[in-house]
Amino acid sequence: MIKGNTGPLVYPAAHLYIYSALYRITDRGNDILVAQIIFAGLYLGVLSLVMACYRMAKAPAYIFPLLVLSKRLHSIFLLRLFNDCFAVAALFLAVYAYQRRIWTVGSVTYSWAVGTKMSVLLAAPAIFSILMLSLPLRRALNAAFLMAQVQFTLAFPFLPVNAYGYIGRAFELTRQFLFKWTVNWRFVGAETFLSHKFSLALAITHLSLLIFFFATRWIRPSGLFLPAFLSTIFNPPSSQAEQHVSLRVTPSFIFTTVLGSLSIGMLCARSLHYQFFAYIAWSTPFLLWRSGMHPFMIYALWAAQEWAWNVYPSTNMSSMVVVGCLIIQVFGTWWGTRKDFTDISNVIGREGREHKHLD
């Protein structure tokens, strides 16, 4: 068993490799200044990536200041040195690669992010949608298989010894969280927070929101309703129809879909701790802008969220603000993107009919 001062290791293998390297670089963890310099460089690198993603998605300049003003985000990177910093770095690198249509790099990097912390799996439904829309079925399956290969390669030193223990700890879905550390559900009370019914309700809500967004927003470039879209898995359209759909998967659509999936996951999370703000902080400005809000409202909601995440320990009021801001981001984005792709025709269906007619 690999363990530390706080108990057994509960993270995937990439986390172990990263922090083993940091352990050696920082004189067995004693040179904190060197570690902080490394994380400062990581912060600047991720910030540059995030800005590049925003530029690819044609976000306006007036929301860029919000990317650098978060006190809590600075604490996560420069004081707490959480593994979420490396996970979010790999995630945004994957998103940028997808925006540039470098599919292999994006898939490998995304899998590395998952191998650093399981939380990144919250973006998996969006990644699935993007790959299915952008690539022929065979290439999309190859991308998924490549991600699985990366996970297997990272975990290979541990699987022969204790595969069940590794998978059970690194990707544990039934972990019991402590009420004293929750940032988002403080206001529901300890009894409700620890109940199985509350956990089940969150899981059902999460699944329902994913299906709802998938059906009404995330497959819109195809011009198909959900049953027809799923049928293309077994009856792929013509290559010309696939190309038409792929060209509609823009950098803005990719960014909106991935960040939306993350925000849905964060909204329905069993418990959010302070380090999870690394995923939220750089998502909020873009999603609020995509919701169509006035710049004043974007800044006001950003400030309210920033305040809530800087309250320690969390209070009933701060946790309500955290959840409220996530609700606004999720449903605001859904409403703000209601007119996207509404002017397109069903290319897959039309191309299929033309193909049959030619035959």
Side-chain angles (χ1 to χ4, degrees):
M1 179 185 293
I2 301 174
K3 60 182 180 179
N5 294 332
T6 57
L9 180 66
V10 292
Y11 298 118
H15 162 89
L16 181 64
Y17 302 143
I18 291 168
Y19 279 82
S20 294
L22 288 172
Y23 183 72
R24 292 176 174 82
I25 294 170
T26 58
D27 187 25
R28 301 173 66 86
N30 293 310
D31 198 336
I32 303 301
L33 178 60
V34 170
Q36 288 183 304
I37 291 172
I38 292 171
F39 273 81
L42 178 65
Y43 169 79
L44 293 175
V46 181
L47 178 60
S48 299
L49 265 177
V50 172
M51 288 184 171
C53 291
Y54 270 62
R55 285 175 62 86
M56 289 287 294
K58 295 180 170 56
Y62 65 78
I63 64 174
F64 276 63
L66 300 179
L67 302 178
V68 301
L69 294 176
S70 174
K71 176 183 176 183
R72 173 56 67 186
L73 192 60
H74 295 160
S75 172
I76 291 170
F77 271 86
L78 302 181
L79 296 178
R80 308 302 176 183
L81 314 183
F82 284 117
N83 65 344
D84 301 84
C85 304
F86 289 96
V88 80
L91 174 62
F92 276 105
L93 181 57
V95 170
Y96 183 68
Y98 284 142
Q99 287 178 313
R100 299 296 299 267
R101 307 184 76 84
I102 311 173
W103 306 112
T104 300
V105 173
S107 299
V108 170
T109 311
Y110 175 69
S111 190
W112 177 270
V114 173
T116 304
K117 192 162 186 179
M118 184 183 70
S119 307
V120 185
L121 277 173
L122 294 175
I127 301 296
F128 169 78
S129 173
I130 290 165
L131 292 177
M132 287 296 294
L133 290 168
S134 305
L135 301 173
L137 179 61
R138 183 182 296 274
R139 287 190 61 191
L141 292 176
N142 285 342
F145 183 65
L146 180 60
M147 294 181 201
Q149 284 181 305
V150 171
Q151 290 303 309
F152 180 80
T153 302
L154 290 172
F156 185 75
F158 311 103
L159 294 178
V161 179
N162 187 4
Y164 180 81
Y166 172 80
I167 296 171
R169 286 290 186 177
F171 300 99
E172 185 178 1
L173 298 176
T174 59
R175 190 175 302 163
Q176 184 67 47
F177 296 96
L178 298 177
F179 179 68
K180 69 176 183 177
W181 295 119
T182 186
V183 178
N184 55 334
W185 298 119
R186 177 77 60 185
F187 67 92
V188 303
E191 183 177 353
T192 299
F193 176 82
L194 296 171
S195 70
H196 176 71
K197 289 183 179 179
F198 183 64
S199 176
L200 182 61
L202 288 174
I204 293 173
T205 302
H206 188 191
L207 180 60
S208 300
L209 283 173
L210 289 176
I211 294 172
F212 177 64
F213 270 77
F214 191 84
T216 62
R217 291 295 181 267
W218 296 349
I219 62 172
R220 270 198 170 183
S222 69
L224 299 174
F225 292 109
L226 182 59
F229 177 79
L230 294 177
S231 71
T232 62
I233 297 175
F234 306 100
N235 299 293
S238 68
S239 58
Q240 186 177 358
E242 288 177 335
Q243 182 66 19
H244 278 298
V245 173
S246 179
L247 292 175
R248 293 175 185 153
V249 182
T250 63
S252 180
F253 174 81
I254 290 172
F255 207 36
T256 304
T257 305
V258 172
L259 297 187
S261 184
L262 272 177
S263 294
I264 290 170
M266 293 294 165
L267 173 61
C268 302
R270 183 70 175 81
S271 181
L272 293 180
H273 300 163
Y274 287 97
Q275 60 266 38
F276 285 91
F277 194 56
Y279 307 95
I280 296 172
W282 281 321
S283 302
T284 297
F286 184 81
L287 293 179
L288 291 179
W289 169 66
R290 289 291 282 145
S291 72
M293 287 185 182
H294 188 277
F296 176 81
M297 288 300 300
I298 293 175
Y299 272 75
L301 285 168
W302 177 91
Q305 178 176 264
E306 179 68 17
W307 167 80
W309 280 89
N310 277 284
V311 174
Y312 177 81
S314 64
T315 63
N316 289 342
M317 178 59 69
S318 69
S319 65
M320 282 192 285
V321 172
V322 166
V323 174
C325 286
L326 285 170
I327 290 174
I328 291 171
Q329 290 173 54
V330 169
F331 289 101
T333 304
W334 182 86
W335 178 255
T337 56
R338 66 192 183 281
K339 296 181 180 179
D340 291 3
F341 307 109
T342 54
D343 59 338
I344 66 174
S345 59
N346 182 349
V347 172
I348 290 179
R350 188 177 75 246
E351 293 288 346
R353 288 191 297 271
E354 291 176 358
H355 182 71
K356 290 180 179 178
H357 178 71
L358 290 174
D359 288 346

